[in-house]
Coordinates of all heavy atoms in Angstrom, one line a residue:
W48 N 21.8 21.2 19.8 CA 20.9 20.1 19.1 C 20.7 20.5 17.7 O 20.8 19.7 16.8 CB 19.6 20.1 19.9 CG 18.6 19.1 19.3 CD1 17.8 19.3 18.2 CD2 18.3 17.8 19.8 NE1 17.0 18.2 18.0 CE2 17.3 17.3 19.0 CE3 18.7 17.1 20.9 CZ2 16.8 16.0 19.2 CZ3 18.2 15.9 21.1 CH2 17.3 15.3 20.2
S49 N 20.3 21.7 17.4 CA 20.1 22.1 16.0 C 21.3 22.1 15.1 O 21.2 21.7 13.9 CB 19.4 23.5 16.0 OG 20.4 24.5 16.4
L50 N 22.5 22.4 15.7 CA 23.7 22.3 14.9 C 24.2 20.9 14.6 O 24.6 20.6 13.5 CB 24.8 23.2 15.6 CG 24.5 24.7 15.6 CD1 25.6 25.3 16.4 CD2 24.5 25.2 14.2
F51 N 24.2 20.1 15.7 CA 24.9 18.8 15.6 C 24.0 17.6 15.4 O 24.5 16.6 15.0 CB 25.8 18.6 16.8 CG 26.9 19.6 16.9 CD1 26.8 20.6 17.9 CD2 27.9 19.6 16.0 CE1 27.9 21.5 18.0 CE2 28.9 20.5 16.1 CZ 28.9 21.5 17.1
I52 N 22.7 17.7 15.6 CA 21.9 16.6 15.4 C 21.0 16.8 14.2 O 21.0 16.0 13.3 CB 21.0 16.3 16.7 CG1 22.0 15.9 17.8 CG2 20.0 15.3 16.4 CD1 21.4 15.7 19.1
S53 N 20.2 17.8 14.2 CA 19.3 18.0 13.0 C 19.9 18.5 11.8 O 19.5 18.3 10.7 CB 18.1 18.9 13.4 OG 18.6 20.2 13.7
G54 N 21.1 19.2 11.9 CA 21.8 19.7 10.8 C 22.2 18.6 9.8 O 21.9 18.7 8.6
P55 N 22.9 17.6 10.2 CA 23.3 16.5 9.3 C 22.1 15.8 8.7 O 22.1 15.4 7.5 CB 24.1 15.6 10.2 CG 24.7 16.4 11.3 CD 23.6 17.4 11.5
A56 N 21.0 15.7 9.5 CA 19.8 15.0 8.9 C 19.2 15.8 7.8 O 18.8 15.3 6.8 CB 18.8 14.8 10.0
R57 N 19.2 17.1 8.0 CA 18.6 18.0 6.9 C 19.5 18.0 5.7 O 19.1 18.0 4.6 CB 18.5 19.4 7.4 CG 17.2 19.6 8.2 CD 17.1 21.1 8.6 NE 17.8 21.2 9.9 CZ 18.2 22.3 10.5 NH1 17.8 23.4 9.9 NH2 18.8 22.3 11.6
L58 N 20.8 17.9 5.9 CA 21.8 17.9 4.8 C 21.6 16.6 4.0 O 21.5 16.6 2.8 CB 23.2 18.0 5.3 CG 24.3 17.8 4.2 CD1 24.2 19.0 3.2 CD2 25.7 17.8 4.9
H59 N 21.4 15.5 4.7 CA 21.2 14.2 4.1 C 19.9 14.2 3.3 O 19.8 13.7 2.1 CB 21.1 13.0 5.1 CG 20.7 11.7 4.5 ND1 21.6 11.0 3.7 CD2 19.6 11.0 4.6 CE1 21.0 9.9 3.3 NE2 19.7 9.9 3.9
E60 N 18.9 14.8 3.8 CA 17.6 14.9 3.1 C 17.7 15.7 1.9 O 17.1 15.4 0.8 CB 16.5 15.5 4.1 CG 15.1 15.5 3.5 CD 14.5 14.1 3.3 OE1 14.9 13.1 4.0 OE2 13.7 14.0 2.4
E61 N 18.4 16.8 1.9 CA 18.7 17.6 0.7 C 19.4 16.9 -0.4 O 19.1 17.0 -1.5 CB 19.4 18.9 1.1 CG 18.6 19.9 1.9 CD 19.4 21.1 2.4 OE1 20.6 21.3 1.9 OE2 18.9 21.9 3.2
Q62 N 20.4 16.1 0.0 CA 21.2 15.3 -0.9 C 20.3 14.3 -1.6 O 20.4 14.0 -2.8 CB 22.4 14.7 -0.2 CG 23.5 15.7 0.2 CD 24.6 15.1 1.0 OE1 24.4 14.0 1.6 NE2 25.7 15.8 1.1
L63 N 19.5 13.6 -0.7 CA 18.6 12.6 -1.2 C 17.6 13.2 -2.3 O 17.4 12.6 -3.3 CB 17.8 12.0 -0.1 CG 17.1 10.7 -0.3 CD1 18.1 9.6 -0.8 CD2 16.5 10.2 1.0

Side-chain angles (χ1 to χ4, degrees):
W48 180 281
S49 67
L50 291 175
F51 295 110
I52 295 176
S53 64
R57 279 185 273 168
L58 177 64
H59 174 72
E60 187 65 30
E61 287 173 12
Q62 292 171 341
L63 195 59

